[in-house]
Amino acid sequence: EKNSFMTSIRSRRQKGKELEEWIANRLRESGLDPRAYPQKGSGSGLKKGDIWTALDIHIEAKNTAKPKFTEWKKQLKSENVSHLPELLVWHMPQTSLADTQVLISWDFAEELLKSWKGEVKIQTIQNPDLKYTAEKAVFAIKDLLKKLSTS
């Protein structure tokens, strides 16, 4: 009985490590953060995320069939001592890692969507010359990206 309990703990840790490695690999391979890696000692009561990244986000990975979002959000809040944007990464075991889901706050989602859409907060620039230059730069970048995608 004790042996099966220890096997169960080892199995859970291994599942968690697999997801953490997958996340870190994806961050590196995508070019988002070539230095990302799973944190040593995460999940052992230390106040840090599961993945170290230079992206200024706090990442917590959960690889379990039974989601406990409320409990996990409390954990995120207590461990995120730097008050970084939070990503809760959830993967259901025995499914493809490509089906991994991410839970984020609405404010963070909104910022990501604005970035994805290519919006820059130009409206907050007070200097008219600087605002015009920024608008031209955004237009030029969008034009460049369009040309790159069709070439």
Side-chain angles (χ1 to χ4, degrees):
E1 185 176 315
K2 183 179 178 184
N3 204 15
S4 67
F5 176 72
M6 293 306 288
T7 302
S8 171
I9 289 174
R10 230 175 285 132
S11 171
R12 283 187 302 215
R13 285 186 183 147
Q14 187 57 37
K15 284 190 304 187
K17 286 183 187 307
E18 287 172 9
L19 179 59
E20 292 167 13
E21 280 293 336
W22 181 81
I23 295 166
N25 285 337
R26 289 293 300 258
L27 290 171
R28 288 191 303 266
E29 291 169 3
S30 68
L32 287 168
D33 186 354
R35 300 177 301 153
Y37 62 86
Q39 289 271 32
K40 300 269 187 268
S42 67
S44 61
L46 301 175
K47 299 227 181 263
K48 57 184 175 181
D50 289 331
I51 309 295
W52 181 90
T53 178
L55 296 173
D56 287 334
I57 54 176
H58 184 91
I59 302 173
E60 186 67 34
K62 300 295 183 184
N63 196 355
T64 180
K66 296 179 184 172
K68 299 176 183 175
F69 295 119
T70 303
E71 180 182 316
W72 297 340
K73 285 297 288 173
K74 286 179 187 174
Q75 178 187 359
L76 264 173
K77 292 287 180 213
S78 72
E79 291 182 0
N80 187 3
V81 294
S82 298
H83 308 290
L84 299 170
E86 299 165 343
L87 269 76
L88 176 58
V89 182
W90 175 59
H91 173 256
M92 184 179 291
Q94 298 169 4
T95 64
S96 168
L97 284 167
D99 293 332
T100 297
Q101 302 293 309
V102 177
L103 180 68
I104 59 176
S105 72
W106 178 258
D107 287 344
F108 190 42
E110 201 171 87
E111 288 303 312
L112 291 173
L113 290 170
K114 285 179 183 177
S115 298
W116 179 64
K117 189 176 175 188
E119 287 184 16
V120 179
K121 295 184 179 181
I122 294 173
Q123 65 273 17
T124 61
I125 299 173
Q126 300 300 315
N127 179 323
D129 291 333
L130 187 57
K131 186 173 184 175
Y132 176 71
T133 302
E135 288 169 344
K136 282 189 351 185
V138 169
F139 179 78
I141 290 170
K142 285 181 179 179
D143 188 46
L144 173 65
L145 292 172
K146 183 177 164 185
K147 287 177 181 174
L148 287 171
S149 68
T150 59
S151 63

